[in-house]
Amino acid sequence: MSVVPAALPTLLVLDADPLPRLGKLTGRARVLHTDEASLAERLPAADVLLVWDFTSHAVRAAWPGEGPRPRWVHTASAGVDHVMCPELVASDTVVTNARGIFDEPIAEYVAALVLAMAKDLPRTWELQQRGRWLHRESRRVAGGRAVVVGSGPIGRAIARTLKALGMTAAVVGRVPRTGIHGPQDLDRLLARADWVIAAAPLTEQTRGMFDTRRFGVMQPSARFVNVGRGQLVVEDALVRALERRWIAGAALDVVAEEPLAPDSPLWHVPGLLISPHMSGDTVGSSDELGSQFVELFERWAAGRPLKNVVDKQRGYVPGH
């Protein structure tokens, strides 16, 4: 008697360059690729959706449509706000993220930004282009105080790296616990901080948390870095804080609307460094993301519990 093979699960990939390497899934999944325009049409046929394009908001737009929906959605990013919509949150679909891939790269990037601002490297480069020799004093990093807002793996990695530079680093999370401050301590810590690092997920509680009042709490010598989500910051308030010298400087690796428009006033704010959402992306990180997804797919196909499961109500992976 012949055995009818079980149908292969359909994996739908929302593409971005470079494409993920999924060769290990050959013969184990029917892999389809889609762009934003075709996502809504192809979504009902998918058992699994891999959101490889972490910049896209197409899932939020396509998910409420007609027909069945994937049983599992994985996003190749730490944040999940770009895929969440009420219909997905209310569904039985499991959502996972790329937790663990970006911790150390982002921590290194934050350290680079801190050192660049403390040592006035942007101005050094500018003066070099003008052929001008201008001796200045720079700021010490060791002995400074940092506050890291966000107690997940990325925030904790940032704190460890800053401590290695000789700084004290307080971490603020959603709830207080051993080694982690709660939200009630944030303003007190901000008032004493030399460096404020935003690395929190975007939730209804964190949206716009860095506003006029929070920038007003900071010292005039403080500097602010955001590697979390652009919407954590009220950008007009940050601009005012820099222009009025309420704070000494800032660096944004994320902004509210990405990519940042060429005519955005943010490009020209004094004391503001802007980078294009690249703090977690390193040479080889695409392969790491692909390998992580293949490992998760193998667990899913075998009926084993998935790792990195997001609490859809909270908007992040709990337990950190």
Side-chain angles (χ1 to χ4, degrees):
M1 184 176 69
S2 61
V3 178
V4 178
L8 295 177
T10 297
L11 166 62
L12 183 64
V13 183
L14 180 58
D15 286 341
D17 289 327
L19 294 176
R21 296 185 180 182
L22 302 175
K24 290 185 178 180
L25 299 184
T26 301
R28 304 165 69 183
R30 176 173 172 254
V31 181
L32 302 178
H33 293 266
T34 186
D35 57 14
E36 292 184 342
S38 303
L39 177 62
E41 176 185 350
R42 297 189 175 186
L43 203 56
D47 298 297
V48 179
L49 174 64
L50 168 56
V51 185
W52 190 249
D53 184 358
F54 75 90
T55 68
S56 174
H57 295 273
V59 175
R60 290 197 311 206
W63 194 271
E66 297 294 328
R69 290 295 179 260
R71 292 173 281 161
W72 168 34
V73 172
H74 177 78
T75 178
S77 60
V80 298
D81 52 279
H82 61 296
V83 302
M84 289 300 188
C85 63
E87 292 82 2
L88 175 54
V89 171
S91 73
D92 294 332
T93 297
V94 175
V95 176
T96 57
N97 73 351
R99 183 187 186 196
I101 300 295
F102 304 108
D103 308 355
E104 297 304 329
I106 292 179
E108 292 174 359
Y109 201 88
V110 169
L113 290 173
V114 166
L115 288 169
M117 287 190 281
K119 303 307 177 184
D120 202 19
L121 295 185
R123 192 174 182 211
T124 296
W125 176 249
E126 175 194 345
L127 291 168
Q128 179 181 340
Q129 304 312 298
R130 294 161 49 191
R132 187 179 177 195
W133 182 277
L134 180 63
H135 181 270
R136 290 109 61 214
E137 293 181 340
S138 65
R139 184 173 176 177
R140 289 292 307 272
V141 170
R145 295 171 177 166
V147 175
V148 181
V149 182
S151 61
I154 292 173
R156 297 198 303 272
I158 292 170
R160 288 194 302 271
T161 302
L162 296 181
K163 287 177 181 178
L165 294 176
M167 302 171 68
T168 60
V171 180
V172 178
R174 187 180 66 88
V175 293
R177 54 194 186 276
T178 303
I180 306 294
H181 295 269
Q184 68 276 6
D185 295 330
L186 179 57
D187 287 354
R188 174 178 60 81
L189 293 168
L190 290 180
R192 304 176 62 199
D194 301 298
W195 303 92
V196 178
I197 316 298
L202 180 62
T203 67
E204 289 309 308
Q205 289 71 41
T206 62
R207 186 182 301 273
M209 67 183 302
F210 290 99
D211 55 11
T212 297
R213 189 184 68 80
R214 285 263 161 74
F215 288 121
V217 167
M218 298 179 195
Q219 300 183 92
S221 59
R223 287 175 169 86
F224 173 76
V225 177
N226 186 12
V227 289
R229 280 293 180 267
Q231 295 89 343
L232 300 178
V233 177
V234 179
E235 291 176 349
D236 289 345
L238 175 60
V239 170
R240 285 194 299 273
L242 289 168
E243 290 178 341
R244 298 175 184 179
R245 299 185 181 180
W246 294 353
I247 61 174
L252 301 178
D253 186 54
V254 288
V255 293
E257 295 292 334
E258 298 181 2
L260 187 62
D263 60 350
S264 170
L266 287 177
W267 292 113
H268 308 291
V269 176
L272 177 60
L273 288 173
I274 293 177
S275 56
H277 203 150
M278 58 183 284
S279 61
D281 298 320
T282 57
V283 176
S285 60
S286 291
D287 289 342
E288 290 183 66
L289 289 166
S291 296
Q292 181 188 57
F293 174 74
V294 169
E295 179 185 342
L296 287 172
F297 186 92
E298 290 172 345
R299 297 179 68 93
W300 178 81
R304 297 164 58 199
L306 286 168
K307 298 179 180 179
N308 293 5
V309 175
V310 172
D311 183 321
K312 294 187 291 183
Q313 296 292 334
R314 296 182 183 179
Y316 55 86
V317 179
H320 58 264

